[in-house]
C-alpha cells in the first residue's frame, strides 16, 4: 500500500523501496557493569590487585585511550576531530564524504563530550575500598566513521572512559544502496521510502536483516 506522497507523485517515480531506517546496537562489557565485576576486571589488568584502583588512575586510563586514538589517526592518515557537544556528528561526516574519496575502513573519527556511566572509588581512611559508585558524567566519546562494503556508512560511537560502552549505528538506506550497486537496479536514492511500513518490501534482491534487533 503506497503512502500519500508516492500516490501523488507516482507518475514521476521510477520505483520505490521500503527498509529499516536505523538499527542501533548497544555494546557493553557486562563484567565491568557491576561493582564486583569491575574490581575483578581491574585485578586481571594489575596482577590480581586493586590497590591502585582510584579515580585518578581511571581518568589516566581514559587519557591513554584518547592519546592512542590520536596517534593511530596520525599514523593512518585518518582525521581525528574534536567537536562541541550537541553538534550533528553524522552530518559532519556526510559533508566530509562529499569532498573526499574514501576506501573501506575507518575514514574519520569525531570526538565530543556526552554523558556516560563512570565509576567513582571510595576508600576508608585505612585505604580499603568501601564502595564503587556508578555516576553519569560527561566524558569524551569517539565516533568511528567506517565505510563498509555491505552496509555503507557505519558509525561506532565509543565512550573514552572505562567501562568503555559503545553503540553501533547502521543505516538501512545505505544497506539498500550497497546491495543495489552490485545489481542492475535504479538507484534507491532517486526513489522514495515510506516510514510507515519499514520492512514491507525491499528493493529487488536486497534482503533486509530484521524489523527490530535487541541485544
Amino acid at each position: 500500500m503506497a503512502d500519500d506522497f508516492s500516490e501523488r507523485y507516482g507518475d514521476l517515480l521510477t520505483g520505490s523501496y521500503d527498509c529499516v531506517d536505523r538499527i542501533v546496537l548497544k555494546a557493553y562489557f557486562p563484567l565491568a557493569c557491576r561493582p564486583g565485576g569491575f574490581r575483578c576486571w581491574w585485578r586481571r589488568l594489575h596482577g590480581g590487585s586493586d590497590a591502585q584502583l582510584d579515580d585518578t588512575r581511571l581518568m589516566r586510563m581514559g587519557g591513554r585511550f584518547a592519546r592512542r586514538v590520536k596517534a593511530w589517526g596520525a599514523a593512518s592518515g585518518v582525521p581525528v576531530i574534536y567537536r562541541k557537544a550537541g553538534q550533528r556528528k553524522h552530518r559532519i561526516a556526510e559533508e566530509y564524504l562529499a569532498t573526499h574519496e574514501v576506501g573501506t575502513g575507518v575514514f574519520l573519527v569525531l570526538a565530543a563530550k556526552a554523558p556516560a556511566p563512570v565509576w567513582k572509588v571510595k576508600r576508608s581512611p585505612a585505604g580499603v575500598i568501601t564502595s564503587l559508585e556508578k555516576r553519569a558524567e560527561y566524558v569524551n566519546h569517539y565516533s568511528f566513521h567506517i565505510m563498509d562494503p555491505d552496509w555503507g556508512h557505519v558509525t561506532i560511537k565509543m565512550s573514552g572512559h572505562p567501562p568503555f560502552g559503545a553503540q553501533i549505528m547502521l543505516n538501512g538506506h545505505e544497506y539498500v544502496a550497497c546491495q543495489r550497486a552490485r545489481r542492475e537496479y535504479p538507484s534507491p536514492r532517486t526513489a522514495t521510502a515510506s516510514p510507515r511500513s519499514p520492512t514491507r518490501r525491499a528493493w529487488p534482491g536486497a534482503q533486509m536483516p530484521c524489523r527490530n534487533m535487541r541485544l
Side-chain angles (χ1 to χ4, degrees):
M1 180 178 179
D3 59 88
D4 295 339
F5 181 88
S6 298
E7 288 181 353
R8 183 176 182 86
Y9 295 98
D11 295 340
L12 303 176
L13 301 176
T14 58
S16 65
Y17 75 104
D18 294 286
C19 70
V20 176
D21 182 58
R22 294 287 192 277
I23 298 175
V24 179
L25 306 177
K26 290 187 177 181
Y28 57 93
F29 182 28
L31 181 65
C33 290
R34 294 184 178 275
F38 189 81
R39 290 183 69 175
C40 289
W41 171 68
W42 181 271
R43 289 168 181 169
R44 291 177 184 178
L45 297 177
H46 297 84
S49 171
D50 56 15
Q52 295 184 334
L53 175 56
D54 56 30
D55 294 346
T56 300
R57 288 179 173 82
L58 289 175
M59 291 179 63
R60 288 175 182 172
M61 182 177 285
R64 287 196 298 271
F65 182 91
R67 290 191 295 272
R68 289 177 180 179
V69 170
K70 292 177 67 175
W72 173 85
S76 305
V78 175
V80 179
I81 304 172
Y82 285 80
R83 295 295 184 182
K84 294 181 179 179
Q87 287 184 299
R88 299 291 297 273
K89 313 301 185 303
H90 202 80
R91 188 162 295 174
I92 295 172
E94 292 292 347
E95 293 173 355
Y96 181 88
L97 283 173
T99 56
H100 296 78
E101 290 290 335
V102 302
T104 301
V106 180
F107 63 86
L108 178 66
V109 180
L110 295 174
K113 289 187 178 297
V118 300
W119 289 106
K120 295 297 182 179
V121 183
K122 293 185 177 180
R123 291 181 178 270
S124 69
V128 178
I129 294 178
T130 57
S131 69
L132 286 176
E133 181 183 352
K134 185 184 291 186
R135 297 181 186 175
E137 295 189 357
Y138 274 82
V139 299
N140 279 330
H141 284 65
Y142 299 85
S143 296
F144 298 88
H145 292 267
I146 303 164
M147 189 56 64
D148 181 82
D150 291 320
W151 281 95
H153 184 183
V154 176
T155 305
I156 298 178
K157 181 180 178 181
M158 185 173 182
S159 169
H161 195 283
F164 303 110
Q167 289 183 330
I168 299 94
M169 290 167 273
L170 308 170
N171 187 308
H173 306 283
E174 293 274 352
Y175 178 88
V176 174
C178 289
Q179 302 309 306
R180 174 262 165 189
R182 301 175 181 178
R183 299 167 173 85
E184 295 298 325
Y185 298 123
S187 172
R189 294 185 184 277
T190 64
T192 63
S194 170
R196 295 185 296 178
S197 53
T199 55
R200 186 176 70 241
R201 180 173 62 85
W203 205 253
Q207 300 296 321
M208 298 314 299
C210 63
R211 292 173 182 264
N212 297 290
M213 185 177 296
R214 182 177 298 172
L215 298 179

